[in-house]
Amino acid sequence: MPLGTDDDEPTKIEPRKLLLPRAPARSKGDGFDTSDIPTNPGRPVFDKPRASPSMPSLSGETTSPGSPAFTGVAPEVRQSRWHDRSAAPRGVLPAEAVLKGLDEALQKAARDKAPVGAVREQLKADWLPLLRQVVEQAGGDGMDAYVTQLLSPPGRQAVTALVDVLAAGMERLDAAADAGTLLAVAQELRAVVARTLGDPAPRTISLELQERELDGRVDVDTMLSIRFASNAELATRRARAEKTLEDLRQQMRALQGMQPDGLFSNFARVKVEKRVMDAEARRRGGR
């Protein structure tokens, strides 16, 4: 009835049913918090592959390979016998999307009029999540071999040399004195990635030693960012980690009589990362 019309009967308001939100369904193995992925979320055990969560956004303004359909759970989850997960399972980015992302980052670098150092820094930041995909999909024993080089020098050489090849390319990228040389080296690295992703039978990554020897606290991203860092970048990261450890020590001392579980987890993670960085500095001949 229109508003303002005379009505002999009072308006009756029917009570509304209160709809309570339903609790989300929880599957076996979901009892941990993944909101802070870099920390150890309690070493969940994956009894069976779970649905792949959405891929973390790539850094950079225009480096965006779109929203491709994931092809399954990442090889690191399928292959590893160890359940000390430093990160949630990730989807596998298709080869076309990886190459598209590399090309977009290269195009952005070619347009950039900033000094070569700034262009290089941005290019490496844009490329890291994409190169991580390549290593996870076709890295073979490269990460395990790298762990032996860090913890039991001189270590052993990898059968699948992808990690070492990419790291050597990054060293050449760091040494590039001008934009032209930088882009030429980057194009060569892009060709390596294309050949690797085109292999009909790639050797999927093994993380056995990384997870066992480093207690599952350091993920592939962190290992690659340390391996690909320049000497100056590595020194800066080591100093930052040392300061973080000292800050966490002070916070834990201030909580005497309490259980600083979250602080201790962060402390343990940063301490292992610092151990890896110190070992990488020694591997390069530093201190």
Side-chain angles (χ1 to χ4, degrees), residues 7 28 35 40 43 56 60 65 94 101 114 124 127 157 169 171 175 177 183 190 216 242 253 269 277-278:
D7 189 358
K28 188 175 182 180
S35 59
N40 187 343
R43 303 184 186 178
K124 290 174 68 174
W127 269 22
Q157 296 301 310
E171 291 174 4
L183 294 175
R190 195 267 187 202
E242 185 59 48
R253 292 191 187 107
R269 173 181 57 82
M277 288 187 283
D278 290 345

Side-chain angles (χ1 to χ4, degrees), residues 110-146:
R111 294 192 302 266
D112 201 334
K113 303 303 181 183
V116 65
V119 176
R120 173 170 42 238
E121 182 179 354
Q122 184 62 57
L123 180 64
K124 290 174 68 174
D126 289 344
W127 269 22
L128 179 61
L130 298 164
L131 295 180
R132 181 262 295 166
Q133 278 281 333
V134 179
V135 169
E136 286 186 348
Q137 294 182 39
D141 64 332
M143 195 62 70
D144 282 351
Y146 178 48

Side-chain angles (χ1 to χ4, degrees), residues 1-7:
M1 179 179 295
L3 292 176
T5 305
D6 292 335
D7 189 358

Side-chain angles (χ1 to χ4, degrees), residues 29-52:
D30 279 348
F32 63 98
D33 181 10
T34 58
S35 59
D36 188 9
I37 284 179
T39 62
N40 187 343
R43 303 184 186 178
V45 176
F46 296 103
D47 294 329
K48 58 184 178 179
R50 307 187 317 173
S52 300

Side-chain angles (χ1 to χ4, degrees), residues 26 29-46 50 76 83-89 211 214-219 261-262 264-266 268-269 273:
R26 297 172 64 87
D30 279 348
F32 63 98
D33 181 10
T34 58
S35 59
D36 188 9
I37 284 179
T39 62
N40 187 343
R43 303 184 186 178
V45 176
F46 296 103
R50 307 187 317 173
E76 63 170 284
H83 291 166
D84 292 346
R85 301 299 320 142
S86 54
E211 296 198 353
L214 303 180
D215 197 27
R217 296 183 184 273
V218 185
D219 60 17
D261 295 336
F264 181 79
S265 178
N266 282 334
R269 173 181 57 82
E273 289 183 12

Side-chain angles (χ1 to χ4, degrees), residues 247-268:
D247 290 344
L248 290 172
R249 288 189 189 99
Q250 296 295 336
Q251 293 178 49
M252 287 189 290
R253 292 191 187 107
L255 295 176
Q256 294 181 359
M258 301 177 63
Q259 294 295 327
D261 295 336
L263 288 176
F264 181 79
S265 178
N266 282 334
F267 181 85

Side-chain angles (χ1 to χ4, degrees), residues 19-284:
L19 299 177
L20 297 177
R22 297 177 61 184
R26 297 172 64 87
S27 61
K28 188 175 182 180
D30 279 348
F32 63 98
D33 181 10
T34 58
S35 59
D36 188 9
I37 284 179
T39 62
N40 187 343
R43 303 184 186 178
V45 176
F46 296 103
D47 294 329
K48 58 184 178 179
R50 307 187 317 173
S52 300
S54 58
M55 191 71 186
S57 59
L58 302 176
S59 56
E61 297 175 5
T62 60
T63 303
S64 176
S67 301
F70 296 128
T71 58
V73 177
E76 63 170 284
V77 180
R78 290 199 305 268
Q79 296 295 316
S80 177
R81 294 188 295 108
W82 303 92
H83 291 166
D84 292 346
R85 301 299 320 142
S86 54
R90 293 180 286 212
V92 177
L93 202 61
E96 297 79 7
V98 172
L99 295 175
K100 179 182 178 183
L102 295 177
D103 289 340
E104 289 177 350
L106 274 172
Q107 292 165 11
K108 183 172 68 174
R111 294 192 302 266
D112 201 334
K113 303 303 181 183
V116 65
V119 176
R120 173 170 42 238
E121 182 179 354
Q122 184 62 57
L123 180 64
K124 290 174 68 174
D126 289 344
W127 269 22
L128 179 61
L130 298 164
L131 295 180
R132 181 262 295 166
Q133 278 281 333
V134 179
V135 169
E136 286 186 348
Q137 294 182 39
D141 64 332
M143 195 62 70
D144 282 351
Y146 178 48
V147 172
T148 69
Q149 295 165 19
L150 293 177
L151 304 184
S152 303
R156 64 176 177 82
Q157 296 301 310
V159 175
T160 303
L162 177 62
V163 173
D164 289 337
V165 171
L166 292 177
M170 285 296 179
E171 291 174 4
R172 294 176 57 208
L173 209 66
D174 289 329
D178 55 75
T181 304
L182 179 76
L183 294 175
V185 173
Q187 287 286 1
E188 293 176 11
L189 275 173
R190 195 267 187 202
V192 170
V193 170
R195 288 195 302 270
T196 300
L197 294 177
D199 189 336
R203 296 173 61 92
T204 51
I205 194 171
S206 166
L207 298 181
E208 181 174 334
L209 292 183
Q210 178 183 325
E211 296 198 353
R212 185 179 70 192
E213 300 299 329
L214 303 180
D215 197 27
R217 296 183 184 273
V218 185
D219 60 17
V220 177
D221 289 329
T222 301
M223 293 294 287
L224 291 181
S225 65
I226 292 171
R227 184 69 177 89
F228 294 166
S230 66
N231 290 336
E233 291 167 345
L234 184 61
T236 299
R237 288 187 60 147
R238 292 174 70 194
R240 187 184 306 123
E242 185 59 48
K243 182 179 185 306
T244 300
L245 288 174
E246 184 56 35
D247 290 344
L248 290 172
R249 288 189 189 99
Q250 296 295 336
Q251 293 178 49
M252 287 189 290
R253 292 191 187 107
L255 295 176
Q256 294 181 359
M258 301 177 63
Q259 294 295 327
D261 295 336
L263 288 176
F264 181 79
S265 178
N266 282 334
F267 181 85
R269 173 181 57 82
V270 177
K271 187 173 182 180
V272 174
E273 289 183 12
K274 178 66 161 49
R275 178 189 177 200
V276 172
M277 288 187 283
D278 290 345
E280 171 62 15
R282 290 193 296 271
R283 191 191 67 80
R284 299 183 185 189

